[in-house]
Amino acid sequence: MTGPNSPQRMDFDALYRGESPGPSIPPMTTPPWDTKAPKENVIAWQAGGWVHGDVLDIGCGLGDNAIYLAQHGHRVTALDISPTALIIAERRAGDAGVDVRFAAADATTLIGYTDAFDTVIDSGMFHCLDDDGKRSYAAAVHRATRPGATLLLSCFSDANPPNEEWPRPAVSEQTLRDVLGGAGWDVESLEPVTVRREIDGVEAEMAFWYVRAQRRMSN
């Protein structure tokens, strides 16, 4: 099922190969989120002491968040659906001299991962999923974590104005509460945040939700 705010389906491996990821989307030399540095939200979560135990970076992309967390002493498994992204991520981790376990996986199933993690980091993947995918993802992450686990999630907010050149999926507060709550997660903090980033040489403001949720013992 998809709704009016559902994202356009993209071929992320094609995107990372420098090819068009979907109809009417031009190839990109560098993805706009490739800052070659950890994202602001991940730095804030680490500084706030919310990252603990065995860590899963889900939708890790080019690996910069996972590398940052490994540099701070965490045991990190980083998963992505794109083999091309993972090759680059492994190279960056090697250059940084840190040990991160990278693997290809579908975030809506997380086959092979059960009761494995204490913290899940999601920096910009949740909003890439359609409605059914979001629900499957929330359930899969619940299965993959241990009791008392923390989910730290950043996603595009529905406060972003329309942008034809770079359309952004929109996620409402109600969607976050319904999807996560329905899959066994208690939302403890949900903050609207505006982030400034440079895209193609132009500074842009983007509205995000920063979410912290705790895993219930069962759904």
Side-chain angles (χ1 to χ4, degrees):
M1 182 179 109
T2 57
N5 291 329
S6 294
Q8 179 177 348
R9 190 173 296 276
M10 294 176 65
D11 181 341
F12 281 96
D13 199 58
L15 185 149
Y16 285 114
R17 293 196 305 267
E19 302 168 9
S20 170
S24 304
I25 305 176
M28 301 170 220
T29 304
T30 303
W33 54 83
D34 181 16
T35 57
K36 298 178 176 59
K39 295 296 179 285
E40 302 90 341
N41 48 293
V42 176
I43 294 171
W45 293 330
Q46 165 63 25
W50 300 114
V51 184
H52 59 99
D54 292 305
V55 178
L56 168 61
D57 180 3
I58 192 165
C60 68
L62 300 170
D64 297 303
N65 293 323
I67 291 166
Y68 171 80
L69 293 173
Q71 288 172 330
H72 282 77
H74 299 291
R75 294 183 302 276
V76 183
T77 297
L79 306 178
D80 201 275
I81 202 167
S82 167
T84 301
L86 292 169
I87 290 169
I88 299 169
E90 288 180 335
R91 186 183 308 138
R92 290 186 182 183
D95 290 345
V98 295
D99 182 22
V100 176
R101 181 185 175 192
F102 291 101
D106 182 339
T108 65
T109 58
L110 292 178
I111 294 171
Y113 297 95
T114 302
D115 299 326
F117 304 107
D118 304 292
T119 305
V120 177
I121 299 289
D122 175 354
S123 185
M125 201 211 68
F126 183 82
H127 59 230
C128 296
L129 303 170
D130 63 17
D131 294 345
D132 287 342
K134 287 181 175 71
R135 286 189 287 271
S136 297
Y137 157 99
V141 171
H142 189 279
R143 290 194 304 272
T145 50
R146 301 173 181 133
T150 301
L151 171 61
L152 301 167
L153 186 155
S154 169
C155 66
F156 280 136
S157 159
D158 52 356
N160 283 307
N163 185 327
E164 291 185 4
E165 290 186 12
W166 187 251
R168 296 174 192 141
V171 179
S172 69
E173 177 178 353
Q174 195 60 50
T175 293
L176 284 163
R177 292 191 182 279
D178 289 349
V179 170
L180 297 179
W185 293 95
D186 290 324
V187 175
E188 298 188 327
S189 175
L190 199 159
E191 301 175 48
V193 178
T194 299
V195 175
R196 285 185 173 85
R197 290 204 187 135
E198 190 175 290
I199 299 177
D200 294 332
V202 179
E203 190 173 86
E205 285 192 349
M206 292 175 277
F208 285 84
W209 293 116
Y210 285 5
V211 183
R212 188 178 80 251
Q214 185 167 36
R215 182 191 187 277
R216 294 199 292 269
M217 295 291 290
S218 59
N219 286 354

